[in-house]
């Protein structure tokens, strides 16, 4: 009888883990890979985790991005900055400023702390941005939360 109970417990745990694999992964990090293979040196990293900023309110999810060796945004046309962009396709998106360091080839970094949605099927990107027109451009780096470790 105990053996049967252990087997049932094991199987139900396996089913629960397979049903919501992304929900079990936080905190997690992922490498943001270049969309264009010609950008061999460009890479980024995203960190996703729960933050408790204003107790007793519920925890939020933070997405932080750091990216390096990106070409100047103007190399792609009428862009002057990079933005962090996380989204659940067809559901919701979050956009936030990536600030450059003062280096000749700057590191771009930023974060967003106010996500209340479940982090399932999320994609994270670094995208071009025109700060004067608020026009979001195409993705330069990206990855999927399925690849979070």
């Amino acid at each position: 009888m105990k053996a049967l109970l252990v087997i049932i417990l094991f199987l139900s745990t396996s089913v629960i883990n397979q049903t919501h694999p992304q929900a079990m992964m936080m905190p997690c990090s992922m490498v943001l890979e270049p969309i264009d293979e010609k950008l061999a040196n460009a890479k980024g990293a995203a960190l996703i985790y729960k933050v408790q900023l204003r107790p007793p309110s519920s925890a939020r999810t933070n997405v932080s991005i750091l990216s390096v060796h990106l070409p100047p945004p103007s190399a792609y046309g009428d862009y002057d900055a990079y933005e962090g962009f996380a989204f659940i396709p067809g559901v919701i998106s979050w956009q936030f400023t990536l600030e450059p360091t003062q280096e000749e080839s700057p590191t771009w970094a930023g974060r967003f702390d106010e996500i209340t949605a479940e982090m399932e099927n999320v994609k994270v990107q670094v995208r071009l941005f025109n700060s004067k027109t608020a026009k979001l451009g195409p993705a330069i780096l990206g990855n999927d939360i399925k690849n979070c470790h």
Side-chain angles (χ1 to χ4, degrees):
M1 182 67 171
K2 287 183 181 180
L4 181 60
L5 184 59
V6 169
I7 291 171
I8 291 171
L9 215 62
F10 176 75
L11 290 175
S12 63
T13 303
S14 297
V15 169
I16 289 169
N17 284 339
Q18 291 174 2
T19 308
H20 297 291
Q22 287 98 359
M24 306 306 238
M25 296 173 67
M26 290 201 323
C28 72
S29 62
M30 69 177 90
V31 175
L32 302 177
E33 297 288 350
I35 306 299
D36 181 353
E37 293 176 8
K38 295 176 191 166
L39 296 176
N41 289 331
K43 295 279 186 203
L47 173 64
I48 302 172
Y49 70 105
K50 291 286 187 188
V51 291
Q52 183 69 45
L53 301 173
R54 292 176 295 282
S57 68
S58 61
R60 310 282 194 213
T61 299
N62 165 282
V63 174
S64 298
I65 294 177
L66 177 133
S67 52
V68 295
H69 299 292
L70 298 176
S74 59
Y76 290 95
D78 196 19
Y79 299 103
D80 60 355
Y82 286 103
E83 291 275 299
F85 192 72
F87 64 104
I88 301 171
V91 178
I92 193 168
S93 64
W94 305 276
Q95 181 177 334
F96 52 97
T97 302
L98 298 182
E99 297 288 342
T101 59
Q102 297 301 312
E103 302 158 306
E104 184 177 326
S105 175
T107 298
W108 294 80
R111 71 170 200 247
F112 187 73
D113 291 320
E114 299 293 333
I115 298 172
T116 57
E118 289 296 322
M119 299 304 282
E120 294 183 24
N121 303 315
V122 173
K123 297 183 185 314
V124 179
Q125 299 175 335
V126 171
R127 296 181 75 161
L128 291 159
F129 187 67
N130 181 313
S131 63
K132 293 173 186 74
T133 64
K135 179 184 175 194
L136 188 63
I140 300 299
L141 304 175
N143 210 331
D144 191 298
I145 199 166
K146 289 183 242 174
N147 298 316
C148 238
H149 302 289

